[in-house]
């Protein structure tokens, strides 16, 4: 018999950086994908995630309270936790994140973990930039990354 908490609910949300599909278990948001197709399941977690996402884009929210449950390796989880600690409106270089994890040689591994971030915007990997401040990679595209950084700097 299938457990209720194993069921996932999805919701399509239009955002200023393009459509996103939010995916949640009964307890937490597990993914936020760019793109998708119109679908809307009933879910208190999705209600909260959508509301907080809209507040963020309206500059009424700087941090998310919705429970998050990304799935990844132990190293990816450490990277994502470190990325979540980057303050709103600020950026860190990949090497800064690697140093915070105790291994400055792990820059590329940090980049790979960021690339696999299942919760962009909620886990703000857009705040991680190249050592020289250049925009480097983003699942939603560099224009979306630039837009998000501008949104936070102008708040």
């Amino acid at each position: 018999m299938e457990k209720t908490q194993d069921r996932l609910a999805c919701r399509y949300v239009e955002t200023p950086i393009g459509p996103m599909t939010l995916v949640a278990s009964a307890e937490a948001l597990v993914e936020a994908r760019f793109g998708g197709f119109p679908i809307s399941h009933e879910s208190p977690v999705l209600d909260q995630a959508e509301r907080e996402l809209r507040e963020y884009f309206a500059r009424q929210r700087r941090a998310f309270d919705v429970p998050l449950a990304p799935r990844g390796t132990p190293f990816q989880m450490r990277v994502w936790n470190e990325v979540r600690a980057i303050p709103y409106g600020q950026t860190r270089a990949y090497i800064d994140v690697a140093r915070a994890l105790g291994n400055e040689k792990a820059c590329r591994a940090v980049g790979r973990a960021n690339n696999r971030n299942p919760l962009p915007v909620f886990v703000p990997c857009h705040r991680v930039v190249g050592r020289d401040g250049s925009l480097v990679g983003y699942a939603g595209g560099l224009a979306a990354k630039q837009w998000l950084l501008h949104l936070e700097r102008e708040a």
Side-chain angles (χ1 to χ4, degrees):
M1 179 164 213
E2 183 180 344
K3 292 188 258 181
T4 304
Q5 68 262 24
D6 291 338
R7 289 195 175 149
L8 297 177
C10 302
R11 180 161 310 154
Y12 179 86
V13 179
E14 287 289 341
T15 77
I17 58 172
M20 294 183 77
T21 300
L22 307 178
V23 182
S25 69
E27 295 83 25
L29 192 65
V30 297
E31 283 187 52
R33 304 174 187 152
F34 288 103
F37 53 93
I39 188 168
S40 183
H41 292 126
E42 292 300 316
S43 161
V45 172
L46 289 175
D47 292 343
Q48 181 181 357
E50 181 178 359
R51 182 182 71 252
E52 289 183 11
L53 192 61
R54 291 191 189 289
E55 291 169 354
Y56 169 82
F57 284 120
R59 293 188 171 120
Q60 298 168 343
R61 173 173 291 278
R62 292 176 173 231
F64 295 99
D65 298 320
V66 65
L68 304 178
R71 296 177 182 145
T73 68
F75 179 78
Q76 289 170 334
M77 299 297 281
R78 288 180 56 218
V79 169
W80 301 332
N81 284 334
E82 191 62 37
V83 167
R84 287 184 71 194
I86 301 171
Y88 181 93
Q90 296 184 26
T91 59
R92 298 288 184 274
Y94 290 93
I95 194 165
D96 297 328
V97 175
R99 283 181 183 141
L101 295 172
N103 183 359
E104 75 175 43
K105 294 182 182 186
C107 291
R108 287 189 177 156
V110 166
R112 283 190 299 275
N114 248 9
N115 181 276
R116 289 181 170 79
N117 174 11
L119 290 163
V121 182
F122 294 92
V123 175
C125 57
H126 60 275
R127 296 179 189 156
V128 184
V129 297
R131 184 183 282 196
D132 63 357
S134 62
L135 301 186
V136 182
Y138 189 64
L142 291 181
K145 184 172 186 165
Q146 184 174 29
W147 194 95
L148 290 166
L149 292 173
H150 179 75
L151 170 84
E152 292 185 8
R153 285 189 191 118
E154 297 299 314

